[in-house]
Amino acid sequence: MAVRLHPHAVARMRERGGTEEEVRVTVQNGERFEAKFGRIGFRSNFTFDGRWQGKHYANKQIEAYAVQEGTDWLVITVIVKYF
């Protein structure tokens, strides 16, 4: 199974502080859930222990929304939450 990132997903991932490795791990091993428009969402928590937009956070959560193409996944967008 390959995980490919749409250019929109790459832009949102970088803008929101995620990494390609975190997105790939999330799709491969994260919690899977149904999403709008026939997409599948994947969610994983990661240790962060850093600063984001001037505040310190211990963890971050990656949500990747994807569509399946054969045995591969195309990630459409990425959301990153800090806590």
Side-chain angles (χ1 to χ4, degrees):
M1 162 185 72
V3 178
R4 296 182 298 114
L5 284 83
H6 187 277
H8 173 83
V10 172
R12 298 296 80 77
M13 175 190 69
R14 290 179 180 157
E15 172 183 287
R16 297 169 177 163
T19 68
E20 285 191 37
E21 180 62 23
E22 289 168 337
V23 172
R24 291 183 198 291
V25 167
T26 297
V27 172
Q28 292 169 344
N29 303 318
E31 171 192 356
R32 183 176 169 161
F33 58 93
E34 297 292 322
K36 292 182 181 179
F37 310 115
R39 296 180 180 149
I40 302 295
F42 298 91
R43 182 182 299 123
S44 287
N45 294 333
F46 295 89
T47 300
F48 180 62
D49 193 29
R51 296 186 76 71
W52 177 253
Q53 296 185 344
K55 288 183 69 178
H56 182 269
Y57 296 95
N59 302 292
K60 70 177 169 179
Q61 182 178 81
I62 303 290
E63 286 187 0
Y65 293 87
V67 293
Q68 193 163 21
E69 295 183 332
T71 59
D72 298 341
W73 288 99
L74 174 62
V75 178
I76 304 299
T77 197
V78 175
I79 296 173
V80 182
K81 299 175 184 177
Y82 295 85
F83 57 97

